[in-house]
Amino acid sequence: MAAYAESPIPTGDADFQTIWTFIKQGMDHIMTNPQESLTNNGYMGLYTCVYNFCNGSLILSGAKNSSKPAGRTRLKPGCPELYSNLVQYFVGYIVKIRDASDSLTNEALLRYYAREWDRYSMSVTHVDRVFKPFNRYWVVRKTYEGKNHVYPVSTLAILLWKRDFFISLQKTSRNITPSVLKLIEARRQGENADESVVKSVLNSFVSLGMDENGEASLGVYEEHFEEPFVAATEMFYVTESRVLSAKTTLSGYLKRAEEILRVEKDHIQLCLDTNKRERLTSRCEQLLIRDQAEKMWDGFQQLLENDQEEDLERMYRLLARNPGGLDPLYPKFEAVVKHAGQVAIANLVRKDGPNVGMLKPKLYIDTLFYVYHKYQAIVEKRFNGNKAFVSAFGKACQSFINSSTAPGESTSKVSQILVNQVDGLLRKSSESLGNGELEHGLNQTAVILKYVEDKLTFQTLYTAKLSRRLIHEQSISIEAEMTMISQLEDVYGSQYTSKFHSMLKDMSLSRDYTDGFKDDVCRPGYPGESSISFDFRVCGAFIWPLKPPSHDFVVPWKLKSLSTAFSSFYQMRNSGRVLKWLWNHCKSELHTNYLSRSYILVTSSYQMAILLQYNSAETHSLGELSTVTLIPRDLLSRVLAPLVKLKILIAEGHEHYRLNFDFRSDNTRVHTDVALEAVEDDIKTTEDDVKALEDRKRLIQFTVSKCVKDYKRIKTQSLIQETLTRLNDRLSPTIKEIKVAIEVCIEKEYIGRVEGQRDTLFHIP
């Protein structure tokens, strides 16, 4: 190359043979060693020689030996001769390459073709740059004059390769297309085939698509590769899909099909033009997915039941390629989740209780949450959070969470269990929970609550439980209560939880009232200031589910004066409002002065009234205590029972109770109200259940009446559907409940039946 670089550039008066010899030397170097580019001097020497030759071939008419301005240009002889020499040069080079391949076949021929094409195409690119002046001055002029068989140098080189090597090769038994297809099939089978060879050959097919007019097309590529490739690919996958379907399990088929499609994607990207890929991809998916979809659908349930999550993910990815391919899986998934939940509940009932209502709340919630969490993880992780699967999952959860094992058992049992679970988490107990355990328990409950249909029953029961925790200071913290209420608000909305927020607000205001009363009224000299400490709870009458006692009660005189003073204080701050004292919900602490050791007795207000009677006498009968306190005898017996059980009082004879001067306890604070609360809680729980049931009935009756009023006249079946729709966001009544509500509304004369049309109802103004 150094010798060539030092060769002088032919002068302007050099003959054509001298110029061609100089150009041919440079082309020989480029065509032989395209990777070793010319030096700058060598490249500029060739370019300058071609430029000078083309420029010297231009004659300006009228400019020679004349002072007249130049006219149009014309070409001297020489450029056609240069073009003819280029043709001969390329033909000689190509024929030499072709003849050298005569002894090669199959893959050896393919590799030789790919290697020589890469060298040739790269060399032609460099040569074309050298001949830019020739293309610009002479080729363009000839094309403009209508010479159809004159091409730029690069195009000329490609057309000659196509004519003298490619076409002549393809017409023989040494056709390279089958060799390309064999190499691709070897890659499909996992063999280590050279991808670069395939890529080079296919690039040549695309480049050789130029026609005789120099227009680029994909004709060669389509005829000599695409059509045979598509046909061979289809045949391969027809056979492969049949073999896989017949000889492998569903799990094995899913793995192999996904691997095949992944490899085929690489083949298609390598072998096919972008615009042609979709057709073959669709055909492969047709053979491997759509034609085998029924087999996948049939095996989906078994994969779910066997927890084969990776196979489920593969099936999802495969079927998701096909529009509608996942549709049959949605109801199957819903059925499996629903069945799993029902089986889990049935097993729990069989082991721990005769029906859902008898189950331990924590065990029940843990069981539901286990099923929920298991399949929710599958939806998110394996099904990529697919909305249709999310919907099917939600329907299944709603079904099994609200189901019961006993025929006709109300779905309110689920609400009761959830309320008891929350109450157990938020109520003070000997088994204190860490923040993590508490948060986890509340989160579990909130998740299950999303699917509970009987929202009204839950609201009624939760209000009752919350009121007891707040009134009796049994809540672990206001912050924990707020956390649970916030989660309920996220599930059901702010209107649903407005009453709960009001109850917490009342507790805060009550502390302010108590502090204000102590500051403004209980100053030094106040009669009860030294002997009584107190704390008031002011609760809104229409917010709290608290009822005053249905009987009279003689309030001890010290409490009477204190309550009277606080009532006056409250009315001064809130003009027009009246306090109603709920002594049946009050608690007190009494200090013993009659024993060798001092104790603090934590009692209800009724127990306090009873014990204060023993300051005047050591023994009292049941009748005497009832007369003095005005507490009914049946209630009085329940109030006395804890005092007798703790041996503070001793039962003697027929309904007589004596103060025990030998009372002993390991604890300084003795809670006499705990046992009483246990009894009262059972009673109140029953009352709450009854109230929840009555609230449910009233809401259904109101909705039935409102529907008839809005429609004026409506058929029974339409009324049932309309009632279900309107109550959907609060509870899910049964058709039997709605029919009973219709009859009640008819009895109360809210609605009536149209005479002669038993199935048509009308509103009674």
Side-chain angles (χ1 to χ4, degrees), residues 167-187:
I167 296 298
S168 63
L169 191 64
Q170 292 297 88
K171 290 180 179 179
T172 68
S173 60
R174 297 189 304 134
N175 187 325
I176 62 174
T177 299
S179 298
V180 176
L181 297 179
K182 285 181 181 179
L183 206 59
I184 293 173
E185 185 171 348
R187 292 186 77 247

Side-chain angles (χ1 to χ4, degrees), residues 10-16 19 47-61 64 73-80 82 133-134 137-138:
T11 60
D13 57 353
D15 60 16
F16 176 78
I19 294 173
Y47 184 90
T48 301
C49 180
V50 174
Y51 178 82
N52 290 340
F53 176 78
C54 294
N55 196 43
S57 298
L58 296 175
I59 299 177
L60 299 177
S61 301
K64 187 176 181 181
T73 63
R74 63 184 179 84
L75 295 171
K76 290 194 314 183
C79 286
L82 177 59
F134 182 72
Y137 294 135
W138 189 78

Side-chain angles (χ1 to χ4, degrees), residues 366-436:
D366 286 345
T367 301
L368 293 182
F369 190 76
Y370 171 78
V371 177
Y372 167 86
H373 184 266
K374 174 183 176 180
Y375 291 101
Q376 192 263 349
I378 291 176
V379 171
E380 292 299 323
K381 183 178 179 181
R382 305 302 180 181
F383 299 155
N384 199 31
N386 180 282
K387 291 183 178 180
F389 275 112
V390 171
S391 176
F393 173 69
K395 292 177 182 177
C397 288
Q398 189 171 20
S399 178
F400 77 76
I401 287 175
N402 291 283
S403 66
S404 56
T405 55
E409 189 176 16
S410 173
T411 57
S412 64
K413 292 295 183 183
V414 179
S415 298
Q416 294 172 17
I417 293 175
L418 290 171
V419 168
N420 291 335
Q421 167 71 351
V422 176
D423 189 58
L425 292 170
L426 298 179
R427 182 187 289 266
K428 290 179 181 178
S429 65
S430 57
E431 299 179 4
S432 58
L433 298 175
N435 290 334

Side-chain angles (χ1 to χ4, degrees), residues 318-330:
L318 290 172
L319 291 174
R321 295 166 176 254
N322 178 26
L326 294 171
D327 291 351
L329 300 187
Y330 304 140

Side-chain angles (χ1 to χ4, degrees), residues 256-292:
R256 179 62 180 151
E258 190 171 53
E259 176 64 17
I260 287 173
L261 289 172
R262 183 189 64 78
V263 173
E264 195 58 36
K265 179 181 179 182
D266 296 338
H267 290 156
I268 291 173
Q269 289 179 341
L270 172 67
C271 301
L272 292 183
D273 181 76
T274 305
N275 298 325
K276 307 291 184 177
R277 292 171 186 169
E278 185 176 347
R279 172 192 165 192
L280 186 57
T281 299
S282 177
R283 182 57 178 155
C284 291
E285 292 176 354
Q286 171 71 40
L287 296 169
L288 291 170
I289 301 175
R290 290 190 282 275
D291 289 352
Q292 302 296 327

Side-chain angles (χ1 to χ4, degrees), residues 64-190:
K64 187 176 181 181
N65 301 323
S66 174
S67 58
K68 295 180 180 180
R72 64 192 183 102
T73 63
R74 63 184 179 84
L75 295 171
K76 290 194 314 183
C79 286
E81 188 175 2
L82 177 59
Y83 188 81
S84 177
N85 281 17
L86 283 173
V87 172
Q88 294 176 17
Y89 180 87
F90 284 128
V91 169
Y93 181 88
I94 295 169
V95 169
K96 182 179 178 181
I97 293 175
R98 184 189 67 195
D99 292 344
S101 70
D102 288 344
S103 62
L104 302 176
T105 58
N106 299 328
E107 188 174 343
L109 175 61
L110 192 66
R111 292 182 180 278
Y112 176 81
Y113 178 92
R115 183 175 66 252
E116 293 302 326
W117 165 259
D118 287 342
R119 178 186 298 172
Y120 183 79
S121 59
M122 185 183 298
S123 301
V124 167
T125 301
H126 295 321
V127 170
D128 188 65
R129 292 188 187 127
V130 171
F131 279 86
K132 273 188 178 180
F134 182 72
N135 291 333
R136 184 165 57 245
Y137 294 135
W138 189 78
V139 174
V140 170
R141 174 61 63 92
K142 287 297 178 181
T143 303
Y144 179 76
E145 291 175 355
K147 302 295 184 181
N148 294 330
H149 297 292
V150 176
Y151 309 104
V153 173
S154 60
T155 303
L156 173 67
I158 297 297
L159 290 173
L160 292 174
W161 177 280
K162 176 182 176 182
R163 184 192 72 185
D164 296 333
F165 190 7
F166 179 75
I167 296 298
S168 63
L169 191 64
Q170 292 297 88
K171 290 180 179 179
T172 68
S173 60
R174 297 189 304 134
N175 187 325
I176 62 174
T177 299
S179 298
V180 176
L181 297 179
K182 285 181 181 179
L183 206 59
I184 293 173
E185 185 171 348
R187 292 186 77 247
R188 287 196 182 107
Q189 299 292 358

Side-chain angles (χ1 to χ4, degrees), residues 36 192 390 609 720:
E36 299 178 12
N192 188 18
V390 171
I720 291 173

